[in-house]
Amino acid sequence: MFKILVVEDDKNTRKLMCAVLKQYGYQTFDAQDGMEALCMMEKEHVDLVVLDLMMPKMDGYELTRQLRQSWETLPILMVTAKQEPKDKRKGFLVGTDDYMTKPVDEEEMVLRIKALLRRAKIANEHKLTVGKTVLDYDALTVSRGDLVFTLPPKEFFLLFKLLSYPNMIFTRIQLMDEIWGMESETDDRTLNVHINRLRDRLRDIPEFEIVTVRGLGYKAVKTG
């Protein structure tokens, strides 16, 4: 059973989030601020943290920074009423893995948590398996039976990202920010070139395909 720590200063919201997570089979712990959360982390094994941004004593940004110092691979989902792009960027820069704005859709929250936990497992193992195809993060290889080939780093990271979240649509900006970095001057053309190269290299892999979502971005779809 996965253990999730909910850090939220509003008592009713905290109770509701814990109740929802328990319905889906997760064991929950809760804390009302960042200081209490850090004390909890020292005493309990936690698989994932859901945290609010605006809290007394220590806000979500500082809590995320401190969590990253001691628990580098811990999945963190930041939930906040702040919706400005600059707030989201700051959240990702301090180390959150995902970001949701309030009011929170309960089903979407659970789906995001499942994806983060799955991604954490993949990251720890450094391999991603889709059908008979295996992506090896350390070697940057894609293998299927006797077929083994090495991808350039950016192409591999792009493919690994898409396949870690099957059917999830990623905007072009999201992919460019994560793969090339927010400060990069990468444009749509560079991303399109990498996507087209991946499609060409993977034409003999039947388990999945990279689909263009017109006007939005791309997603990986399992076809097997």
Side-chain angles (χ1 to χ4, degrees):
M1 180 183 292
F2 287 111
K3 298 179 180 180
I4 298 177
L5 173 61
V6 176
V7 191
E8 165 67 61
D9 62 325
D10 183 85
K11 182 178 180 180
N12 292 331
T13 302
R14 191 168 67 246
K15 283 187 172 182
L16 175 61
M17 293 177 74
C18 287
V20 169
L21 293 172
K22 287 176 181 176
Q23 287 179 353
Y24 283 86
Y26 298 111
Q27 181 177 348
T28 63
F29 305 98
D30 64 274
Q32 61 184 349
D33 58 54
M35 297 298 293
E36 189 175 319
L38 290 175
C39 291
M40 182 72 70
M41 291 292 298
E42 295 291 347
K43 296 185 293 184
E44 300 286 350
H45 169 75
V46 173
D47 295 296
L48 181 143
V49 175
V50 180
L51 59 87
D52 187 27
L53 187 53
M54 304 305 295
M55 295 183 293
K57 298 183 181 179
M58 180 187 296
D59 67 16
Y61 293 131
E62 181 58 30
L63 174 57
T64 300
R65 287 192 191 97
Q66 296 207 25
L67 288 172
R68 277 287 165 258
Q69 290 176 5
S70 300
W71 296 275
E72 185 178 352
T73 61
L74 176 72
I76 300 173
L77 172 60
M78 190 175 283
V79 179
T80 175
K82 290 195 170 188
Q83 301 185 21
E84 293 293 325
K86 64 180 181 180
D87 298 314
K88 294 183 180 181
R89 289 194 186 97
K90 185 175 180 180
F92 284 115
L93 287 172
V94 297
T96 191
D97 295 286
D98 205 351
Y99 190 108
M100 291 187 72
T101 54
K102 295 179 178 179
V104 172
D105 180 272
E106 296 171 1
E107 184 178 0
E108 181 183 355
M109 179 183 72
V110 172
L111 289 172
R112 286 176 181 265
I113 285 172
K114 287 181 178 179
L116 287 173
L117 289 170
R118 179 173 176 270
R119 184 183 182 189
K121 181 176 183 293
I122 292 167
N124 288 335
E125 294 178 351
H126 281 206
K127 289 186 179 181
L128 173 59
T129 301
V130 183
K132 297 180 180 180
T133 301
V134 178
L135 278 67
D136 187 321
Y137 197 94
D138 294 326
L140 302 182
T141 58
V142 178
S143 58
R144 188 179 191 274
D146 295 332
L147 176 66
V148 181
F149 54 92
T150 303
L151 292 177
K154 290 291 191 292
E155 289 182 31
F156 183 89
F157 298 146
L158 183 58
L159 179 64
F160 200 91
K161 175 69 175 181
L162 291 170
L163 283 175
S164 294
Y165 298 88
N167 298 314
M168 183 179 288
I169 300 170
F170 290 93
T171 67
R172 290 174 173 82
I173 292 176
Q174 281 178 306
L175 293 172
M176 288 186 289
D177 282 351
E178 178 154 345
I179 306 302
W180 281 270
M182 292 184 182
E183 305 304 320
S184 171
E185 297 182 358
T186 302
D187 56 19
D188 278 2
R189 183 171 52 188
T190 300
L191 177 60
N192 291 341
V193 167
H194 279 71
I195 290 290
N196 288 334
R197 285 177 179 168
L198 276 174
R199 285 171 171 160
D200 185 56
R201 296 181 199 275
L202 301 170
R203 61 183 179 274
D204 295 325
I205 304 291
E207 277 88 358
F208 56 84
E209 62 179 330
I210 300 173
V211 175
T212 301
V213 183
R214 188 175 297 276
L216 291 175
Y218 300 97
K219 65 178 179 178
V221 176
K222 293 182 180 179
T223 55

